Structures are given as structure tokens and as C-alpha cells.
Amino acid sequence: MFETAIYEVRGETAWITLNRPDKLNAFTAQLNKDVASAVRTAARESSVRAIVITGAGRAFCSGQDLGDVDENTDYSDVLRKLYNPMVMEIEKCEKPIVAAVNGVAAGAGMSLALACDFRILSEKASFLQAFIHVGLVPDAGNLYYLPRLVGHAKALELAVLGEKIGADEAFRIGLATKVVTVDQFFDETSAFADRLAAMPTKAIGLIKRNLKASWESGIEQFLDRDAQSQRIASLTGDHKEGVQAFLEKRKAVFKGI
């Protein structure tokens, strides 16, 4: 289905695997397009209620493949045509997206992980703001998401110093949702994704939408958004099921409707 990525639906979770293991899953134009298309496909499939993005082999994504650019490359053009559309597909998706960071996530690979809603890290995983080491600025939404996760001061530190961040440190500063052993990485990620897929999908989408809006809304405007969102949520089948399950003292079975 895709040239440089693998798309699989397991249960109610779509797994998108960057599949250039010999190049540490470095981005090419085709990989940018494949990830964007795969996320768009998962967002549209009604049977999919959660998404996992991971990398084949020993890396998550090492960033831009430097063999795919040269001294004549217009980086602004590359970002606008390839990276920005990919990030926007993730940003627009209202289903929960998990970055399963199995190894190094460097440069734009780190940006990809930051754009996701959750980050499950293998104990062998690491983040690296590689841009400063080649005289560039973090891109692909990196400096949009990073301060929202770790705060302005820490984001500046990470971007300017460009030091490697191990899995435990990433968890300590808020970049990781969870750190798991190599042996348990797949099972733990699958269980986490399955947990998300079993939750009220439309409510998760509204939560994501409202959190994003909160950064740019005044309190009065946001309270109105609260009211609108709650009405939408209250009309879903999952809300009705949640109330019925509460009254019947049983576990709710949500269907994402």
C-alpha cells in the first residue's frame, strides 16, 4: 500500500511503521508522503479508534536523509511541500495517536514523535535535537510542540544545547508517557493502544480539540466552547452507554459512536 511505510490494522488500532531500517528510517520525500497518507487513511477508517506510529529495526526515525538533499535544496520548499502536510495530518486527526519510540528519534524524527498525543519509549530510546549541530533550526513543528510539553526554558535548553536525552530523562521532563523494557515494548504499546481504542473515541477527539484551542482562547470564549463540546459529547452513543453502565454497576463497553 505504501513504498516506505507499513500500514496494518490490528483490532481497532492502525499501526504505521516507518520502513527504512537500513537508513534508520530517515525521511525522504516518499516517506513524508507515506506517513501523511497513512495517518489520513487511519483517520478516515471508522473501524480504527487509535493509531500507533513506530519505526522498523533499531531506530524510530533519524531525521532527514541527507542523501535526499544537496546544496541546492530549498529547505523552506521541502518543509512546506513535505513536512508541514505530514504534521498537519497528525494535528487534524481527532483519534489518539501514540508514538512508539523504539530507538533514536533525532531531528525531524523527534518532531514527529512530539506531534503525537502520547509517547511510549523503549528503555533504549533517545531524543536528539540534531538541528543545532548542522547550523539549523528545529522544524516540522518541533518548537511548537516542545514548549507545550516541557516549558519554554527547557525547550530552549534542549534546542540550543542539542544534547542526547535518554528514555528515563525524557520521562522525567515530560517527553514520555511511559518507559518500558525492550522485551515488553511491543506488548506494552499494544496494551496502551488497545486501552485508548476501547475508550469513547468522540470524547477523546473533543478533548484534543479543546486542549489545542485553550492556548489561543480567552476564558469566556473557552467556556462557550466547553458548553458546545459537552452538548456534542452528550449526544453520542458512548455517553448513553457510560450512564447506563454506571446505573447498572458494570463496566462500560464503548463503541466509538
Side-chain angles (χ1 to χ4, degrees):
M1 188 174 180
F2 301 101
E3 291 181 34
T4 57
I6 300 169
Y7 182 88
E8 302 173 285
V9 177
R10 305 173 190 169
E12 295 177 300
T13 300
W15 286 71
I16 301 167
T17 304
L18 283 60
N19 193 32
R20 302 187 70 231
D22 56 321
K23 298 292 186 179
L24 301 181
N25 302 314
F27 277 117
T28 60
Q30 188 60 51
L31 183 54
N32 286 130
K33 293 175 183 177
D34 282 348
V35 172
S37 181
V39 172
R40 184 165 57 249
T41 298
R44 291 174 176 174
E45 289 191 1
S46 59
S47 61
V48 170
R49 295 171 60 190
I51 302 167
V52 174
I53 300 177
T54 192
R58 61 190 180 91
F60 177 73
C61 176
S62 59
Q64 173 64 42
D65 189 332
L66 297 181
D68 212 40
V69 297
D70 58 34
E71 65 273 11
N72 297 315
T73 297
D74 182 338
Y75 287 105
S76 174
D77 194 49
V78 170
L79 286 166
R80 288 193 170 99
K81 290 183 177 179
L82 298 172
Y83 282 96
N84 294 0
M86 178 187 73
V87 173
M88 285 308 300
E89 289 296 340
I90 296 171
E91 176 71 15
K92 292 185 299 182
C93 182
E94 296 201 340
K95 296 174 181 179
I97 304 179
V98 181
V101 185
N102 51 304
V104 65
M110 181 174 175
S111 302
L112 174 62
L114 296 180
C116 296
D117 302 310
F118 305 93
R119 283 152 295 281
I120 305 295
L121 270 59
S122 158
E123 61 186 346
K124 299 293 186 181
S126 61
F127 288 119
L128 179 64
Q129 288 281 49
F131 302 93
I132 196 70
H133 300 300
V134 289
L136 292 176
V137 177
D139 56 28
N142 189 297
L143 295 182
Y144 177 86
Y145 295 108
L146 188 61
R148 285 164 167 76
L149 292 169
V150 302
H152 177 95
K154 178 58 71 170
L156 180 63
E157 176 189 324
L158 298 178
V160 171
L161 299 183
E163 296 174 346
K164 183 178 179 180
I165 310 160
D168 289 339
E169 175 67 3
F171 179 77
R172 188 186 71 80
I173 65 176
L175 286 180
T177 307
K178 191 175 186 180
V179 176
V180 299
T181 64
V182 173
D183 292 343
Q184 293 296 313
F185 182 68
F186 177 78
D187 289 342
E188 291 276 0
T189 301
S190 296
F192 187 81
D194 288 346
R195 175 184 175 188
L196 292 172
M199 297 177 74
T201 311
K202 292 186 181 299
I204 292 176
L206 290 165
I207 289 169
K208 289 178 60 171
R209 192 187 305 177
N210 285 5
L211 277 170
K212 291 168 184 174
S214 72
W215 292 89
E216 300 172 355
S217 301
I219 183 60
E220 186 173 5
Q221 180 185 8
F222 192 78
L223 289 172
D224 184 60
R225 175 180 286 273
D226 273 348
Q228 293 176 24
S229 299
Q230 203 66 297
R231 172 163 175 74
I232 294 170
S234 71
L235 296 175
T236 64
D238 281 343
H239 169 63
K240 293 177 177 63
E241 164 61 12
V243 171
Q244 193 63 31
F246 177 81
L247 294 174
E248 296 175 1
K249 295 182 172 57
R250 61 173 174 81
K251 184 176 180 179
V253 180
F254 299 115
K255 298 181 178 179
I257 58 175

